[in-house]
Amino acid sequence: MMLLYRFLSDDDTAQFCHKVTAALNNGWALHGAPTYAFDAKRGVMRCGQAITKEAPGSYTPDLKLGEQ
């Protein structure tokens, strides 16, 4: 068994919430508090959320985390 980690980020829109919701419905779990920061260069707020998931197998660097 291996523990997978991803950090999701996007502009503060419904798209970010859908991205996190899709991950949760695919077996990922929230890890820690969400982040929220202003991107001064683009003039938008950005959101981030770490997620983790236990999965069978062994980790390799070529593993496509978004497909797990």
Side-chain angles (χ1 to χ4, degrees), residues 2-4 6 19-30 51-55 68:
M2 64 178 156
L3 183 62
L4 305 174
R6 291 175 63 197
K19 187 185 289 189
V20 174
T21 299
L24 293 173
N25 282 281
N26 283 317
W28 293 83
L30 300 177
I51 56 175
T52 60
K53 180 179 183 180
E54 286 191 8
Q68 302 304 309

Side-chain angles (χ1 to χ4, degrees), residues 7-29:
F7 184 78
L8 304 177
S9 64
D10 208 336
D11 292 347
D12 183 17
T13 64
Q15 180 176 330
F16 174 75
C17 294
H18 285 285
K19 187 185 289 189
V20 174
T21 299
L24 293 173
N25 282 281
N26 283 317
W28 293 83

